[in-house]
Amino acid sequence: MLRFKSGVPVSGLVPELYQALDKATAIFDEIGKDCIVTSARNGKHSATYSRHYAGLAVDLRRKHLDLALTETMRQRLTEELGSEYTDILESTHYHVQYKPHYHP
């Protein structure tokens, strides 16, 4: 099940990020855990580099996962999301970011 932490805005994300959340939720569902968005366009992020404020990134909780699942889940996210997304295993969460390919 997809859930948003209290206070996390659910609007303003690009459509491609909602697609990523659908895929991430399916992966979490497979192991019987909720996919919990802990940050979207809110929170403290780099004003210069963060894609959160543009609706291009979310953070997903991982503290409810066993340590053994942490890297496995990151690998699954990488496989399922594909090359237009970056997923980074941070100390407390997975950072998932849409990075569209521009072809000038």
Side-chain angles (χ1 to χ4, degrees), residues 25-98:
T25 300
I27 295 167
F28 276 86
D29 284 348
E30 285 177 15
I31 61 166
K33 302 288 185 180
D34 287 344
C35 181
I36 304 168
V37 179
T38 60
S39 180
R41 297 188 66 194
N42 64 316
K44 270 187 156 174
H45 308 284
S46 167
T48 306
Y49 301 107
S50 178
R51 305 310 296 158
H52 282 273
Y53 302 118
L56 294 168
V58 294
D59 294 335
L60 305 177
R61 177 171 290 158
R62 71 175 183 88
K63 72 179 182 181
H64 63 309
L65 302 178
D66 296 330
L67 186 57
L69 281 176
T70 301
E71 180 59 27
T72 301
M73 291 295 287
R74 192 205 56 79
Q75 289 173 357
R76 289 288 315 280
L77 286 168
T78 299
E79 292 168 8
E80 294 294 324
L81 296 178
S83 64
E84 288 195 325
Y85 297 87
T86 299
D87 61 277
I88 301 169
L89 178 61
E90 301 280 357
S91 61
T92 60
H93 60 274
Y94 298 102
H95 172 84
V96 176
Q97 177 175 307
Y98 175 62

Side-chain angles (χ1 to χ4, degrees), residues 3-21:
R3 294 185 349 189
F4 286 79
K5 180 180 168 182
S6 179
V8 173
V10 296
S11 63
L13 301 176
V14 296
E16 293 84 358
L17 211 45
Y18 287 109
Q19 293 170 2
L21 287 173

